[in-house]
Every structure is written in structure tokens, then in C-alpha cells.
Amino acid sequence: MLQRFILVLALVVTGCGRKETPADAGIRDQVLHFGNSSEPQDLDPHVVTGVTEHNILVALLEGLVSEDPVTLAPLPGVASSWELSEDGTVYTFHLREDARWSNDDPVTAEDFVFSYKRMLNREMGSPYGDMLYCLNGAEAYHKDKNQTTDFKNVGVRAADPHTLVLTLGSPTPHFLSLLNHFAWFPVHPGTIRAFKAETTIATGWTRPPNFVGNGPFVLTRWSSNDRIVVEKSSTYWDRENVRLNAIHFHAIGDHNAEERAFRSGQLHVTGTVPIDRLAFYAKHNPDVLRIDPYLGCYYYLINVNIEPLTDPRVRRALSMSIDREKLVRYVTKGGEDPAFHFTPPNTAGYTADAGVRFDPAGARALLADAGYPEGQGLPPIPLLYNTSDAHATVAQAVGRMWEKTLGITIELQNMEWKVYLNKTQTKQYSLARAGWIADFEDPSTFLGLWVTDAGNNRAGWSNAAYDALIRDSALTVDPEKRNAIFKKAEAILMEESPIIPLYFYRSKTLLHRAVREWHPTLLDHHPYKYVYLEAPDS
Amino acid sequence: MTKYILSRVLQAVPVFLASVTLTFILIRMAPGSPFMQERSFSPETIERLNAHYGLDQPLFVQYIGYLGKLVRGDLGPCITQGSRTVNDVIRETFPISLELGLWALLFAIVFGLAAGICASLKPNSWQDGLPMTAAMTGICIPSFVMGPLLALVFALSLGWVNATGWQTPGDRILPAITLGAAYAAYIARLTRGSMLEVLPQDYMRTAQAKGLTRCRIILVHALKNAILPVVSFLGPATAGIITGSFVVESVFSIPGMGSMFVMAAFNRDYFLVLGLVAFYSALIVSFNLFSDILLGILDPRVRLKT
């Protein structure tokens, strides 16, 4: 009996040899398997806000310009060329005649006018409507409660079917990079009208086979919570240069499951790498591990309206008593760079001068000066973070540094994501962890956050001089002068310390050796039309 | 019997209503809203979104409206899933969770019964100790440990099956074992216990004296009575297996209903949470009902008690 059992087991074992993995088959068929963390909320560029959706939308739609795969510099997209007026406010885009929607309709200037009108329609309630505010009159149109403003007052005009004129409220040096945000992508007017989706969300036009796009790929399958499949478009103007035949976006929310999927040959690219696996890959499989600079900052937010944090000296003392070098080396351990200021270095050529250095003695002196020598008289300060091992570890380390250096007692408060958001957005906190990832490569995406009453200024901080500088920066075209203004603004921000920058993010990816033309970029963008797969040994 | 069934059905309706009402109140009391994001939406956007989903109405009006729709089988829109309705989500994800649950249940019953019977035949010998130790281990190892361990051995080291996904028939094996293991263990213990009660009884000796084969005595005569506790456990177990697959679904990245449920709660997707609770409640209530009725048929004493 036992012998027979062993025989059967042996047959099963030998019969179930290693099979061809989806990654191997993908290399043969030019099908990229991409770990895309979660199910997208939708694929309507006028509705969604996340990175997950961005990753798919850039395959399905193309804006006026596209991105260089290495530098992300603007390259011709739907527009084959463009001119800028001398005063820097009027862009004239010449749309290529062979640009086609996936149903073979031509992509026209009117389509862009239609799309921008939809985006700015108050009825639509687009979360990213403010991305278009640099267009002349766009903000007034978007915010008009009575809907009496004529869209003709907004700086968008189709001069002819292949000429689009965009008039800006003021010169916007980073305007062309802005155009690569999906908020500026066109939608197909015929499809939107057919689904009566001009001002309505969630009508079903984004489901396959309804979705009509103008990008290098078309949407062919959307399995809920599983995967989204896009296939090479036969109508895309640059289809000859698109080398991938398809991309499968896998919605794998669990980072460890994603890593296992990568190891078992089901993915070519992962969205991230579990922190506890970083050291293993760095040592045993460094070829597939990619840790690249990423335009984002991890920081602590301070509610400047709560005692004793109303005093800038206390805030600065907190900031100065953190040893950021140690934090990134021994706590986060993901190759992050310590952040001594808020805007990541070399953001569109800008690097801040001012910064907060680790200075325990100086921090103690500042705190004593504020009336709390050795932390005496300071109440325990709560530090809020959302549930995550990574946030908890950082909070414990920073809390310990503060206790040791300043004698402050820190109460750690761990809250579930939406509770945490509710607490920070309603300013019911003292200190809270936060992070900011750039929407586009320009210092204004970081420094614009802290303008008085800005939607995301959750510190409640306000400084007239700072506001004036940010306003000036928007009107300044000369890059050097503009950077000088940003430097002054950031100096004020660091001096006043409504935030405590801790480190600059790194994007962490496991990348199959077969993936080509996948370059490290600051926004973690990888234009798919250039990407292809090639067996590592060929 | 009709009276018994009727009383069970009448008890089930208020349970269902109470769970929906309680969830409605609790999810609305939870801090945050579906539209609260790291990058804040403008007040205008939130106003438009609330209006679109009818969340600007007074809570009581929303509740009555929801119940009205529920009666018609409309579970409402899905806030975090764009153009899908809650009905769509259930239609797409439930068959997957159901299939996973059925495989797990099959594994649990086959292995549980076999191990339980095997253990009961020679109590306190190695034939008893071995399956019972395995059963204890099955109960003790949580699925978030067992899942990755199985994946490590059978997917990553041996390369026999995929580590994640729900594409090929082979993708069913590891999740079903992970999900079914604890239930198999529980069934094994129940079977062993009741078999040990049944085996020494007089009618067993009679059967033996009649010259029936040992196999027939155990599988037909003994098991028929010994299986009763297992049957009453199977009702809630089936519901538990089908609805409690969240961890397994997330470990193996299976697009089932369990993972949807947890994500819905995290994202405050009011309609999805409510819809899934309503669906799960209906499912669990029906399984319990079915198990009660089955028990009533198998054991007349249960009928008489009510």
C-alpha cells in the first residue's frame, strides 16, 4: 500500500514540472505584466485622481504633448508642433492630421475644447478642475455658481480642426509639462454624448468595449479587482514605433502577494517592494531591484493653531532635533534621502538653499527661549499617523529622538486611513504624518501647498510674505529669477516650520531583466510606447 | 414540520433587517467620507458628488429610500468603482468566492471526515494522534501564515502552480487548502468525538453480529448518526467559508467578494458596504435556516423542541 502511494506521489511530482510562466510567455508575445496595486476607481480622466488610474490612462489617451522616456521633457504628442507668443501667454498647437481615435475618428482641436469644457463644468465636479486654472478665465468659469459665464471667455479656442489656441492667464513656465497630466487629456465627444456623460460621472462609457481613446493602446478587458488589459491600437498615429502588443495591469493590493507574483514569474514590473524584502534583493538579486529618486516628500504636519505649537521656536526646535541621516539609514532603509527642506532637490532645476540641520544644542536653546527649558512645562504632544508598519516605525523613532533631545513626551496615535484624513482635514490634531507626491515637475506643486487657505494647507499656517512670493513666482518667466523667488519662499517656510520634512521618497520597483526602455524618472512615469521586452540572454 | 420551517423563516427576517439597519447607522457614524482623499477635493466637488449619490438628503430619507431599493433588489451605485453598481460587483465577485468556498468545503469535508473516522477507530494510538495533531495544527496556523507558506513551497520553490491569481485550474488548489484547513480540522475533531460516542453503542455490536463488513458498519451505520454534529456545523461553516475568505483572497490576490468587502469598509463606500452586508446576511441567514431544516429532518427531537 505504502509503495503504491509513494509511486503515485512520485508520478505527480515528476508530472508537475515547472511550466512556462506568464512573464516568459509575455516576453515571447510582447505582453507586459504590470503590478498596479489596486482596482482603479474609474478610467474617466475628468473624474479620477490617483496614480493607479494614471498608469492605465497614459496607455489609453494622449495629450497635446507626450513625454521623453528618459527626461520626461515634452515631445510632440497629438500636437506635432507649437508656438508660444512673445508675452508667453498664448500657445498655438498644430494637431497632426493622422491623429485618430480608436474608432478611426480624427482627433480635432474641437475635441480638446469639448474636453476642457467638460473638465471645467461645475456640474461635472471634477476633482482636478483646478489643474486647468492656468487657462485664462478658467477659474472664474469653474467656480461660477450661476453658470452664467460663457465658455468663450475661457482661453481655449479651436482656430481650425487642427489648430488649438490656448491662452493663459499669465506666463506659466511649466505649462508644457502640465499637459502630460491626465487632466489635460482629451475624451471622445461622440462617446461622451452617446452615454450622456457630458456632466455626469459613472455612466459606463469607460467600460470595454465602449471606451474610445487616442493613445497607443485600446482597452479590451476590465475584470473587476483582477486585471485590466490594453492592446496595441491599430489607429494610433505612431503605431509603427509601439513595440508592446499588450499590457496587463494586475490589481494586486497586497505588497507581499505582489512580490510573490513577481518571483513566480507572473509580473514583469511591480508597483513597489515590501520594505522587509529590500535588503534581500539588494544582496541576492540586485539586478531586478530598482530604487530611483521620486518627486515626493514625507513630512510631519504641525497644527500651528494648537498650543504650544503656535510658537515657531517650538516648531523649529522639533525640526532641528531630528537626526534625518540616522532615520533613513536605520529606520526607513529604502535608500531615501534625508529632507532638510520641503521641495526635493533639482525639481525642474530648482534646489532650495535654506534647510533645517540636525542641531540638538540649538534645538534645546530654542525651546528654552520659548519658555520650555529641557521640555519643562510642555504638555505631552500627540503624533497622529495612519495604520501602517512603516509610519509606526518612523513615528516611534522620531518620538524617541524628541524625548531624548528635548525632553518632550510624545503620544503616538495610530488611526485608520479615513479617520486620519478626517482628523487632519478638520485640523483635530497636533502633529501628523503626511506625504506629498508631485503632480508635475515644478517647485510650485510643493510650495503652492502652503499658501493661506490653499485646499491642502492642513497646517492652518498663513504668511503674507510667503503668499506674495508664490504669487510673484507665477508671474515670473525667467527661470533664474523664478527659482530665486522660490528660494526666498522656502526659506520662510523652513524658518516658520509649519511642517517638518523628514525624507524624500524613492520609487521602489522589481523589474524583470527583460524589460527595456524603462528608465528611472522623477515622476515614476514610463511612456509605454517605447517599452519592449527582450529575453535577457538574447 | 411546516410550522417548524415557518417559525424559522419568521425568525430570519428581523435578523436580516436588523443587520442592514445597524450597518447603515454604523457606516454613517464612521469618521471620514467616501470622498475624503489625501489630496482634498474642493467643496464644490464634494457638493456635486454628494448630490450625485443622493448623500445630501436627510439620513432618514436616505434609509427609507435604500430599503425601498433593497426590496426591489437594487443595491445602489458603487462609489469607489466608477461605473459599476453594487449588483455588478456582487455578480462579478460572488461566483469567484463561491467557487473558492466550495473547493475549500470539499477539501474540508473529505479530509475532515477521513481524518476523524481514522482517528476514532483506534483511539489513543498513533492513528489517532497523527491526524488529530495535524488537525490541531490546521486550527492553530492562521491563513495569513499558511497561505504564504504553501505559496513559498508549491509556487516559488517547486513552480507547480502560480503564487497568485485566479486564471488557471491550478490556481484553485493552494487557496482552497488554505481556506479549508481550519474547517477540515474542526470537522475531524467533531467526527472523531461523535464517532467515539456512537461506536460503543449496542446497535453497532448488533451490526457486527449480523456479519456486516467493517466498512459498511462504519460508513453507513456509525457515520449516519455520528455525522449529525458535523451537519449542524456545516451550515455556519459553509457561510463562513464563503464569506470569510478575505485573508485568503488577499494573500493569493483573488478577485473575490471578501477583498471587496474590506476595501469597501476602508474606503467608506457606503452602498458597497451595505450591499455586501445585506448579501452576506441573506446568505448566512439562509444557510443557517437550511441547516436548521436539514437537522429537523434528520433528528425529530429538534423539531419537537420548537
Side-chain angles (χ1 to χ4, degrees):
Chain A
M1 179 68 194
L2 190 68
Q3 280 164 333
R4 193 185 293 172
F5 176 74
I6 291 171
L7 185 70
V8 169
L9 195 70
L11 280 175
V12 168
V13 170
T14 47
C16 299
R18 279 186 183 272
K19 52 195 175 47
E20 183 185 44
T21 64
D24 295 337
I27 297 169
R28 193 187 57 222
D29 304 331
Q30 292 298 314
V31 175
L32 180 76
H33 291 273
F34 184 103
N36 197 25
S37 74
S38 58
E39 173 77 3
Q41 190 191 355
D42 200 349
L43 288 178
D44 185 335
H46 298 161
V47 171
V48 300
T49 55
V51 175
T52 309
E53 290 83 6
H54 163 92
N55 289 340
I56 304 168
L57 279 173
V58 291
L60 299 173
L61 296 169
E62 185 177 68
L64 291 163
V65 298
S66 64
E67 289 174 315
D68 181 278
V70 180
T71 63
L72 300 187
L75 293 178
V78 172
S80 54
S81 63
W82 52 86
E83 293 118 33
L84 177 61
S85 66
E86 279 196 12
D87 64 352
T89 59
V90 182
Y91 276 91
T92 307
F93 290 93
H94 304 285
L95 275 52
R96 58 182 79 244
E97 302 207 350
D98 54 349
R100 288 274 183 279
W101 292 98
S102 51
N103 66 351
D104 218 24
D105 284 354
V107 181
T108 65
E110 276 299 340
D111 296 346
F112 281 89
V113 177
F114 174 89
S115 304
Y116 297 165
K117 188 175 177 184
R118 179 175 186 252
M119 185 74 172
L120 288 168
N121 193 321
R122 198 184 144 79
E123 293 272 301
M124 187 69 197
S126 290
Y128 264 129
D130 58 354
M131 284 287 278
L132 272 65
Y133 282 2
C134 54
L135 289 174
N136 192 31
E139 185 170 358
Y141 180 82
H142 192 216
K143 289 187 169 168
D144 179 14
K145 278 194 177 161
N146 305 320
Q147 304 266 295
T148 50
T149 314
D150 193 335
F151 191 70
K152 282 189 179 137
N153 296 330
V154 180
V156 186
R157 187 169 59 86
D160 65 57
H162 295 287
T163 311
L164 181 73
V165 182
L166 299 182
T167 310
L168 312 184
S170 59
T172 309
H174 58 284
F175 181 67
L176 287 177
S177 346
L178 261 185
L179 293 180
N180 274 314
H181 191 280
F182 57 74
W184 292 88
F185 288 175
V187 289
H188 182 246
T191 307
I192 300 291
R193 287 194 190 104
F195 280 83
K196 297 190 171 53
E198 288 99 329
T199 57
T200 315
I201 58 174
T203 54
W205 75 267
T206 52
R207 315 289 310 176
N210 310 330
F211 195 105
V212 175
N214 70 328
F217 296 89
V218 288
L219 182 66
T220 53
R221 182 177 148 199
W222 184 345
S223 310
S224 177
N225 227 12
D226 177 22
R227 71 175 71 186
I228 284 180
V229 178
V230 300
E231 288 175 11
K232 185 176 170 176
S233 166
S234 58
T235 59
Y236 180 60
W237 63 270
D238 198 17
R239 56 191 171 274
E240 267 103 56
N241 291 316
V242 179
R243 298 176 73 172
L244 288 175
N245 287 322
I247 308 175
H248 290 221
F249 295 95
H250 297 258
I252 307 184
D254 184 308
H255 296 170
N256 291 303
E258 188 189 49
E259 192 262 341
R260 285 197 294 275
F262 179 82
R263 268 200 288 165
S264 78
Q266 290 172 271
L267 294 177
H268 292 114
V269 187
T270 65
T272 188
V273 187
I275 296 173
D276 54 348
R277 300 292 298 162
L278 282 171
F280 173 85
Y281 277 100
K283 193 172 174 196
H284 300 286
N285 210 351
D287 290 1
V288 300
L289 178 66
R290 288 272 290 263
I291 299 182
D292 301 319
Y294 188 34
L295 217 51
C297 184
Y298 186 102
Y299 61 99
Y300 279 164
L301 193 59
I302 302 179
N303 188 345
V304 301
N305 296 315
I306 282 190
E307 290 289 350
L309 302 169
T310 45
D311 190 334
R313 288 170 297 185
V314 177
R315 304 197 295 257
R316 211 172 146 72
L318 286 173
S319 193
M320 284 161 64
S321 52
I322 297 172
D323 189 345
R324 294 166 174 82
E325 300 275 2
K326 259 191 191 163
L327 192 72
V328 296
R329 194 177 315 145
Y330 300 113
V331 181
T332 61
K333 296 190 277 192
E336 292 85 357
D337 299 305
F340 302 105
H341 42 78
F342 185 55
T343 315
N346 203 21
T347 300
Y350 163 81
T351 302
D353 288 340
V356 186
R357 293 286 149 193
F358 176 51
D359 179 5
R364 277 191 291 270
L366 263 180
L367 201 63
D369 198 29
Y372 307 103
E374 303 290 318
Q376 285 167 20
L378 268 180
I381 302 178
L383 169 58
L384 173 71
Y385 57 91
N386 57 296
T387 310
S388 138
D389 288 344
H391 299 327
T393 329
V394 172
Q396 284 156 10
V398 172
R400 186 78 194 100
M401 287 178 193
W402 282 336
E403 280 180 25
K404 217 170 126 189
T405 315
L406 302 175
I408 298 178
T409 312
I410 297 294
E411 282 171 5
L412 299 183
Q413 287 185 340
N414 172 14
M415 303 222 172
E416 182 255 347
W417 176 239
K418 291 277 179 173
V419 183
Y420 153 86
L421 283 181
N422 190 41
K423 290 257 178 200
T424 50
Q425 291 185 13
T426 54
K427 301 196 176 70
Q428 299 173 54
Y429 74 96
S430 298
L431 294 167
R433 86 97 217 159
W436 190 256
I437 307 287
D439 288 321
F440 47 91
E441 194 185 341
D442 190 75
S444 60
T445 187
F446 289 95
L447 297 176
L449 277 180
W450 308 110
V451 170
T452 305
D453 293 332
N456 290 294
N457 179 352
R458 293 173 196 159
W461 179 70
S462 165
N463 183 299
Y466 182 87
D467 294 354
L469 284 167
I470 298 298
R471 257 197 315 275
D472 279 357
S473 74
L475 301 170
T476 311
V477 186
D478 182 72
E480 276 186 29
K481 282 187 189 156
R482 194 161 174 262
N483 283 352
I485 295 173
F486 282 133
K487 283 179 184 179
K488 276 190 200 165
E490 190 139 4
I492 297 178
L493 186 70
M494 287 299 98
E495 184 62 36
E496 287 267 310
S497 292
I499 50 164
I500 303 174
L502 293 179
Y503 59 82
F504 297 119
Y505 285 109
R506 288 265 173 164
S507 65
K508 297 160 197 134
T509 310
L510 295 174
L511 190 71
H512 195 289
R513 288 185 190 87
V515 182
R516 300 282 183 272
E517 293 297 320
W518 193 276
H519 301 278
T521 62
L522 277 178
L523 294 173
D524 203 19
H525 289 181
H526 308 278
Y528 305 123
K529 67 188 241 186
Y530 304 100
V531 177
Y532 65 98
L533 299 157
E534 190 175 67
D537 49 1
S538 64
Chain B
M1 190 66 193
T2 320
K3 198 181 151 203
Y4 170 75
I5 293 175
L6 208 67
S7 83
R8 281 281 179 257
V9 172
L10 283 178
Q11 279 171 24
V13 174
V15 169
F16 173 74
L17 256 183
S19 64
V20 170
T21 311
L22 201 66
T23 312
F24 186 90
I25 298 169
L26 284 176
I27 191 77
R28 290 312 175 85
M29 276 167 62
S33 87
F35 313 120
M36 207 165 247
Q37 309 278 344
E38 182 137 39
R39 186 190 195 275
S40 310
F41 286 180
S42 69
E44 293 86 21
T45 300
I46 291 182
E47 188 187 306
R48 290 295 310 154
L49 289 169
N50 278 331
H52 179 83
Y53 290 106
L55 300 174
D56 52 349
Q57 305 277 324
L59 213 54
F60 187 69
V61 175
Q62 289 183 45
Y63 175 67
I64 296 297
Y66 185 78
L67 285 187
K69 280 185 173 177
L70 191 63
V71 171
R72 293 195 298 274
D74 176 5
L75 298 172
C78 190
I79 301 174
T80 51
Q81 298 264 318
S83 40
R84 277 191 181 86
T85 63
V86 177
N87 294 52
D88 290 338
V89 170
I90 293 177
R91 204 175 303 124
E92 286 168 24
T93 57
F94 179 64
I96 295 172
S97 289
L98 181 70
E99 192 192 334
L100 169 62
L102 289 180
W103 285 118
L105 198 67
L106 185 72
F107 170 81
I109 293 174
V110 170
F111 277 77
L113 282 182
I117 293 170
C118 175
S120 66
L121 294 183
K122 286 192 179 165
N124 305 322
S125 70
W126 69 269
Q127 280 148 313
D128 180 17
L130 196 70
M132 283 305 108
T133 310
M136 221 35 228
T137 319
I139 291 177
C140 292
I141 299 183
S143 46
F144 60 85
V145 175
M146 186 179 287
L149 270 179
L150 289 176
L152 196 70
V153 176
F154 296 101
L156 300 178
S157 299
L158 297 171
W160 292 354
V161 285
N162 289 325
T164 61
W166 194 252
Q167 301 293 319
T168 62
D171 291 347
R172 273 77 175 158
I173 299 172
L174 300 186
I177 295 175
T178 311
L179 183 58
Y183 293 92
Y186 207 77
I187 290 176
R189 293 183 63 81
L190 278 177
T191 311
R192 178 185 178 271
S194 55
M195 280 292 276
L196 285 179
E197 271 177 36
V198 169
L199 285 176
Q201 289 187 17
D202 291 344
Y203 76 97
M204 285 289 106
R205 251 193 309 274
T206 315
Q208 223 166 353
K210 274 165 68 185
L212 295 181
T213 59
R214 187 163 162 77
C215 189
R216 194 175 158 80
I217 293 171
I218 291 163
L219 292 183
V220 178
H221 295 277
L223 198 60
K224 192 183 166 195
N225 284 328
I227 210 170
L228 285 178
V230 177
V231 170
S232 67
F233 170 69
L234 275 185
T238 309
I241 278 185
I242 290 166
T243 57
S245 50
F246 161 63
V247 175
V248 176
E249 284 178 15
S250 114
V251 164
F252 291 100
S253 193
I254 297 168
M257 216 159 91
S259 45
M260 275 288 168
F261 193 25
V262 176
M263 287 320 295
F266 280 146
N267 293 327
R268 304 286 188 276
D269 191 332
Y270 298 146
F271 301 108
L272 190 54
V273 169
L274 265 175
L276 293 182
V277 166
F279 186 76
Y280 277 143
S281 310
L283 208 65
I284 291 174
V285 165
S286 335
F287 275 122
N288 284 338
L289 193 67
F290 181 71
S291 155
D292 281 353
I293 293 171
L294 197 67
L295 211 61
I297 295 169
L298 287 176
D299 187 350
R301 287 173 300 180
V302 177
R303 285 208 293 272
L304 293 173
K305 276 185 209 154
T306 54

